[in-house]
Amino acid sequence: MDDSRPIFVQIAEKIENDIIDGTLPEETQVPSTNQFAAFYQINPATAAKGVNVLVDDGILYKKRGIGMFIKEGARAVLIEKRKEQFYEQYVLSMVREAKKLGITQDQLADMIRRGENKE
Amino acid sequence: MNRTASVVRMHWRNRVFWMGLPGMIMGITFVVNLIIGYFIGQDEPYYTGALCSIFIMVGVTGVMIAAQTFPFAIGFSIRRLDFFLGTAAFAVLVSVAFAAALDILTYVEQQSNGWGVRMHYFHLPWLSDGWAISRFWVFLVGFLHLFFVGFVYASVYRRFGRLGVLSLSAVLFVAGSFGTFLLTYYDQWGALLDFFKPLTSVELFSWAAIPIPLYAAISYGLLRKSVA
Amino acid sequence: MSVVVETKGLRKAYKDTVAVDNVSLKIAENKIYGLLGRNGAGKTTLMHLMTAQQLPTSGELKVFGENPYENERVLKRTCFIKESQKYPDTFRVKDVLETAADFFPGWDREYAYSLADEFRLPLRRGMKKLSRGMLASVGIIVGIASRAPLTIFDEPYLGLDAVARSLFYDRLMEDYTEHPRTIVLSTHLIDEISKLLEHVILIEGGKLLLDEDADALRGRAIRVSGPAFKVNEFAEGRKTVHRQTLGGLVSAVVIGDGDGGDRERAQRLGLSSETVTLQQLVVHMTNASNANPERKAEI
């Protein structure tokens, strides 16, 4: 946990990442608020806030008396959301930086291809 | 009320301080006097004044107990009132226990011909006159009086610090000197002695019992505004 | 949400200093508060007032809705663990734990002894013979095992090594999760406990400087650096709590909105930026208030 960003945001992101990479498959139960709190040594109220963000976003739902579960289709929703964030966080700043250095669109596309081959 | 009882139990856990030390001091002076009594022979009865050691120690307990337990108890969420009531109650219990013990030891001393050496450690002229019950009363008042005088001093310290204690001592000293001066000036020493002379120990100690509730009230009034 | 402690214009003055100066705040039920500030800022006095161990000079103070002074209903629901706690000379560790069992209605005896075991406390050793760390452990055990609805710790870890401190945080959080209660942690080791806090109260010079949700503070301030005129443009209309210059370069810690828009704006201006941790924010705010004692920090 990084102390320079709200912890509830970081908890929500952790769960999202686990859903996206399949660690937490759809329709399975996520750890309880208290388990999160104990594992990351954070305040349970803060952990609950992170989980509730995902409930509000329709990613998690509550089974009464049992706990929180991942909604069917949650992964697709999250991937869509992440793509949008990817555009805002990486593409926009990349384009801005490219402009500053006088890189053309073709050159940029070329660079992306080169990067992909390397991976 | 049950937190007053908690304070009493706290003092019971501290019983070494309350009873162990005074008892030990008395025990040591007793043994020392017994040895002296053995060596000086048994032609004459041997009177010691060492019994006062336990009374002084109870007075010292009154001075020390607040420093020992008041900040502890207040720090652990006890009301000042409960501290005061519990402490006063325990002081009464200790005084009763000590008075009863001295009563029994006086009896043993009488029955054993002064521990076999004609020593008068517990059974003293004037002080021990009368029945066992009157001796008990004399001892009890003696302990309570000294304890609460000590406790008033301790409470002044808790409330007003070192300066308070010094001021009180100064005031008492001046008042005492002035009283002495007046008695001398008006030549009343004889009258004062005449007043005390005919009193039995029970009578005198009954008078001495009267200010005890006053000391207690003063202590509580001071502790009420004291900080941990 | 019910309020456990409420103060209005609370003030405590000594002969030549004002330790607590016009403090108004509310402490809500079952949250964990960090009471932060430098040594001598007035934290300890404030806690002594809340537990009626000292009496305020003026102002209003309510704990569980009542005046705490000589109030049994309030005091038996309160536990204050302080570094300066005194113990009777003849008491052993066991005597302290047993007395605490008697004083605190919510005491869990079995749990207290299991904690003593974990902290490796010799139960039969006299309190006078304990090391500083052991003394701190006794306080910690009393604080946790008392399960008082209002539990206050004043720098409870002094003398404890990192392992024992971590054990303290673990056990505190564990027991808090099972038995929620209001906890106030006064500390200057902010980094160590910041993740445990739900709310932060910062005082400096006896005055309340900050009273905010902890998570809302994380990332609220950012450090931007770049040419002076650009930094000035960025900081315009915002509070700057720290400023450093290196030649023509300026680095400034600026209080923002905390919604991520600030970093983007900094980037657009060509400034490099990084978010600031809670600890750094508190340090900067404390320093800023010293430089500018008249102004109450407003975020």
Side-chain angles (χ1 to χ4, degrees):
Chain A
M1 291 287 122
D2 162 10
D3 207 30
S4 64
R5 289 192 309 138
I7 286 172
F8 81 92
V9 174
Q10 299 179 56
I11 287 290
E13 280 175 3
K14 280 235 154 70
I15 300 172
E16 284 180 359
N17 287 340
D18 286 349
I19 295 172
I20 288 169
D21 68 19
T23 312
L24 288 172
E26 287 172 7
E27 290 301 335
T28 56
Q29 190 175 2
V30 295
S32 73
T33 300
N34 289 344
Q35 285 169 322
F36 275 119
F39 187 78
Y40 293 111
Q41 277 203 326
I42 59 172
N43 189 299
T46 313
K49 208 169 152 195
V51 170
N52 284 334
V53 167
L54 296 181
V55 173
D56 291 345
D57 289 354
I59 303 299
L60 303 180
Y61 69 99
K62 192 175 192 169
K63 274 193 192 167
R64 279 185 60 175
I66 308 177
M68 293 292 180
F69 285 75
I70 297 156
K71 233 184 206 166
E72 209 188 311
R75 187 163 178 266
V77 172
L78 286 176
I79 288 176
E80 238 2 85
K81 184 178 138 195
R82 284 293 169 91
K83 279 182 182 166
E84 194 53 38
Q85 281 177 356
F86 176 77
Y87 171 76
E88 281 172 8
Q89 273 177 18
Y90 298 101
V91 178
L92 284 184
S93 61
M94 178 174 75
V95 170
R96 208 176 287 138
E97 189 71 10
K99 241 182 215 162
K100 210 154 77 179
L101 301 173
I103 300 169
T104 66
Q105 267 193 30
D106 284 348
Q107 284 170 324
L108 196 59
D110 219 42
M111 281 174 165
I112 292 170
R113 238 168 283 146
R114 224 166 67 205
E116 234 166 41
N117 287 339
K118 222 176 182 177
E119 277 292 301
Chain B
M1 209 55 218
N2 80 56
R3 281 161 78 78
T4 300
S6 301
V7 173
V8 171
R9 284 191 289 273
M10 170 191 78
H11 286 309
W12 173 245
R13 285 201 182 84
N14 201 15
R15 57 190 174 274
V16 170
F17 185 83
W18 278 91
M19 305 202 273
L21 290 178
M24 198 179 72
I25 298 286
M26 187 185 79
I28 290 169
T29 59
F30 176 77
V31 170
V32 167
N33 278 290
L34 197 61
I35 293 166
I36 295 171
Y38 177 78
F39 280 111
I40 61 178
Q42 284 105 55
D43 310 335
E44 296 269 311
Y46 167 48
Y47 295 95
T48 91
L51 185 60
C52 71
S53 62
I54 190 171
F55 286 91
I56 290 169
M57 283 308 291
V58 167
V60 170
T61 305
V63 174
M64 307 260 288
I65 198 64
Q68 284 285 313
T69 54
F70 182 76
F72 171 65
I74 300 304
F76 274 16
S77 300
I78 290 295
R79 282 188 308 173
R80 292 153 179 88
L81 177 63
D82 288 313
F83 174 81
F84 169 78
L85 291 175
T87 305
F90 200 75
V92 170
L93 289 176
V94 167
S95 300
V96 166
F98 277 171
L102 294 194
D103 231 11
I104 291 166
L105 290 167
T106 306
Y107 177 78
V108 174
E109 185 170 278
Q110 283 176 294
Q111 296 304 308
S112 64
N113 186 27
W115 314 97
V117 296
R118 297 187 72 189
M119 177 172 82
H120 288 257
Y121 185 96
F122 298 102
H123 188 266
L124 300 169
W126 183 74
L127 197 68
S128 305
D129 290 350
W131 303 88
I133 187 76
S134 56
R135 283 199 289 267
F136 176 80
W137 172 246
V138 165
F139 289 142
L140 180 66
V141 170
F143 285 128
L144 285 176
H145 194 102
L146 285 165
F147 176 85
F148 279 101
V149 166
F151 200 55
V152 166
Y153 253 86
S155 306
V156 169
Y157 180 74
R158 302 253 47 104
R159 178 71 183 84
F160 297 111
R162 203 176 297 268
L163 198 66
V165 172
L166 287 175
S167 311
L168 177 67
S169 306
V171 167
L172 289 179
F173 180 75
V174 170
S177 310
F178 191 62
T180 313
F181 167 76
L182 285 183
L183 285 172
T184 311
Y185 188 80
Y186 290 107
D187 201 15
Q188 293 295 307
W189 282 106
L192 189 72
L193 286 177
D194 286 344
F195 173 77
F196 280 111
K197 232 179 195 165
L199 289 183
T200 64
S201 57
V202 172
E203 281 167 338
L204 180 71
F205 278 76
S206 295
W207 282 109
I210 292 170
I212 293 174
L214 180 70
Y215 297 151
I218 292 170
S219 299
Y220 174 60
L222 291 166
L223 286 179
R224 225 183 118 71
K225 292 284 176 192
S226 297
V227 297
Chain C
M1 184 169 58
S2 89
V3 175
V4 172
V5 181
E6 183 172 9
T7 74
K8 276 186 203 149
L10 193 66
R11 185 180 152 88
K12 173 71 178 177
Y14 297 104
K15 237 175 270 165
D16 41 9
T17 49
V18 179
V20 172
D21 193 1
N22 195 25
V23 168
S24 303
L25 54 80
K26 283 181 185 166
I27 290 179
E29 192 178 27
N30 296 347
K31 282 193 184 184
I32 302 183
Y33 283 76
L35 180 55
L36 312 178
R38 301 200 310 180
N39 288 336
K43 301 183 302 249
T44 299
T45 307
L46 184 59
M47 290 181 281
H48 274 92
L49 294 176
M50 294 194 310
T51 52
Q53 295 186 19
Q54 291 194 19
L55 310 175
T57 309
S58 62
E60 233 180 88
L61 168 67
K62 283 197 170 140
V63 181
F64 296 110
E66 299 178 51
N67 180 355
Y69 173 66
E70 287 294 88
N71 188 329
E72 184 173 349
R73 283 185 302 280
V74 172
L75 292 180
K76 69 187 202 187
R77 285 191 273 172
T78 308
C79 178
F80 178 24
I81 300 303
K82 56 186 170 190
E83 196 228 340
S84 61
Q85 175 66 46
K86 293 198 176 71
Y87 301 97
D89 288 345
T90 67
F91 269 33
R92 299 162 301 167
V93 173
K94 193 177 185 322
D95 295 314
V96 172
L97 296 184
E98 286 299 316
T99 305
D102 214 342
F103 285 174
F104 297 105
W107 187 264
D108 184 332
R109 183 179 256 112
E110 209 177 303
Y111 187 49
Y113 283 117
S114 86
L115 286 174
D117 203 35
E118 280 192 280
F119 279 94
R120 298 184 184 173
L121 270 178
L123 291 175
R124 312 207 136 264
R125 190 172 303 177
M127 294 299 291
K128 294 214 82 158
K129 298 207 171 89
L130 295 187
S131 70
R132 200 170 166 171
M134 287 174 172
L135 214 51
S137 303
V138 173
I140 282 167
I141 291 167
V142 172
I144 298 178
S146 67
R147 301 226 169 102
L150 173 60
T151 303
I152 302 175
F153 288 100
D154 185 8
E155 308 267 6
Y157 43 68
L158 292 176
L160 285 186
D161 58 35
V163 176
R165 288 206 301 275
S166 165
L167 182 62
F168 165 48
Y169 306 138
D170 277 349
R171 291 298 166 267
L172 181 68
M173 291 314 283
E174 243 173 54
D175 204 54
Y176 165 78
T177 308
E178 272 174 54
H179 305 275
R181 59 196 113 150
T182 307
I183 295 173
V184 177
L185 282 168
S186 156
T187 181
H188 56 253
L189 295 180
I190 304 169
D191 271 344
E192 268 193 23
I193 59 143
S194 112
K195 289 187 298 180
L196 310 180
L197 305 179
E198 195 176 344
H199 200 98
V200 168
I201 294 169
L202 172 63
I203 59 174
E204 174 61 24
K207 288 194 168 71
L208 188 65
L209 214 56
L210 196 62
D211 179 8
E212 277 261 353
D213 184 80
D215 240 2
L217 289 171
R218 293 190 182 94
R220 162 103 30 121
I222 65 172
R223 178 194 296 278
V224 291
S225 32
F229 73 97
K230 281 194 173 168
V231 170
N232 290 345
E233 188 185 334
F234 179 85
E236 168 108 27
R238 283 153 202 265
K239 187 173 167 58
T240 303
V241 287
H242 181 69
R243 199 182 159 91
Q244 259 179 320
T245 38
L246 178 69
L249 272 179
V250 170
S251 154
V253 176
V254 177
I255 311 281
D257 312 320
D259 59 0
D262 290 309
R263 291 197 73 171
E264 211 182 294
R265 215 165 64 86
Q267 205 178 31
R268 251 184 280 124
L269 280 166
L271 295 167
S272 69
S273 70
E274 56 182 343
T275 48
V276 166
T277 66
L278 202 55
Q279 161 112 344
Q280 291 166 331
L281 176 63
V282 163
V283 168
H284 290 317
M285 291 208 46
T286 313
N287 290 339
S289 101
N290 281 340
N292 232 335
E294 297 307 311
R295 206 164 67 197
K296 188 191 169 208
E298 279 176 25
I299 315 196

